[in-house]
Amino acid sequence: MSKRILFSSLIGAVALGGVAAGSLALASAPTEPTLEHGSARYTAPTDDSEGSLTYTVDVSDDSGIRSLKVLAWPASSKLDPTAGEVRSADENAKCRSTSDETARCTYGEKVTKQEAADLAKGTWHVSVLATAEDGGTTFVARAATVDITG
């Protein structure tokens, strides 16, 4: 009888060890950042001041946020940026922590009257690539839209 109890205990210990090892593997795998409350805005320049194109979003991940890359592009261009293209872009948002896991990230570009005159008018899309401290990434091809007007 004691051999059966010992054998059952060993099987239980092996099973628990397997579950624990699986949990550790899951816990160490990078998670994907989440993006919430994203919005884009365009302000046309005036005679007195420059305009701007801005995108703001709250980014969360249990390991923290390393970076947010942003690429704005006119819908009329028929571009369809990939995560790799956004990753290689030099357009970084500035992120400030709002908690251990969340950052408010803002991308902003000044727009002069000359630049505004050269911009394609109509709908623009904003593509983003968020990278967490643990290396997890989230790519959103159309995170926001904004209308560029004359």
Side-chain angles (χ1 to χ4, degrees), residues 83-104:
E85 291 167 332
V86 175
R87 181 178 291 113
S88 65
D90 289 333
E91 307 297 326
N92 291 304
K94 292 182 181 169
C95 298
R96 72 174 167 78
S97 295
T98 57
S99 73
D100 289 343
E101 297 180 355
T102 303
R104 163 113 349 136

Side-chain angles (χ1 to χ4, degrees), residues 119-141:
L119 288 176
K121 305 303 183 247
T123 300
W124 282 53
H125 298 293
V126 177
S127 299
V128 298
L129 178 67
T131 303
E133 289 292 346
D134 65 7
T137 61
T138 297
F139 171 66
V140 182

Side-chain angles (χ1 to χ4, degrees), residues 52-130:
S52 63
L53 174 64
T54 59
Y55 173 73
T56 302
V57 66
D58 294 328
V59 187
S60 300
D61 188 83
D62 59 358
S63 69
I65 303 306
R66 182 182 309 159
S67 68
L68 182 76
K69 296 267 192 169
V70 179
L71 182 63
W73 50 280
S76 62
S77 71
K78 306 294 185 209
L79 291 175
D80 195 12
T82 64
E85 291 167 332
V86 175
R87 181 178 291 113
S88 65
D90 289 333
E91 307 297 326
N92 291 304
K94 292 182 181 169
C95 298
R96 72 174 167 78
S97 295
T98 57
S99 73
D100 289 343
E101 297 180 355
T102 303
R104 163 113 349 136
C105 298
T106 302
Y107 166 80
E109 278 295 317
K110 300 282 186 195
V111 180
T112 66
K113 283 190 91 162
Q114 180 59 47
E115 290 167 335
D118 294 339
L119 288 176
K121 305 303 183 247
T123 300
W124 282 53
H125 298 293
V126 177
S127 299
V128 298
L129 178 67

Side-chain angles (χ1 to χ4, degrees), residues 4-20:
R4 279 193 296 199
I5 292 173
L6 179 61
F7 182 69
S8 296
S9 296
L10 286 174
I11 289 179
V14 169
L16 284 175
V19 169

Side-chain angles (χ1 to χ4, degrees), residues 17-30:
V19 169
S23 297
L24 287 175
L26 288 175
S28 64

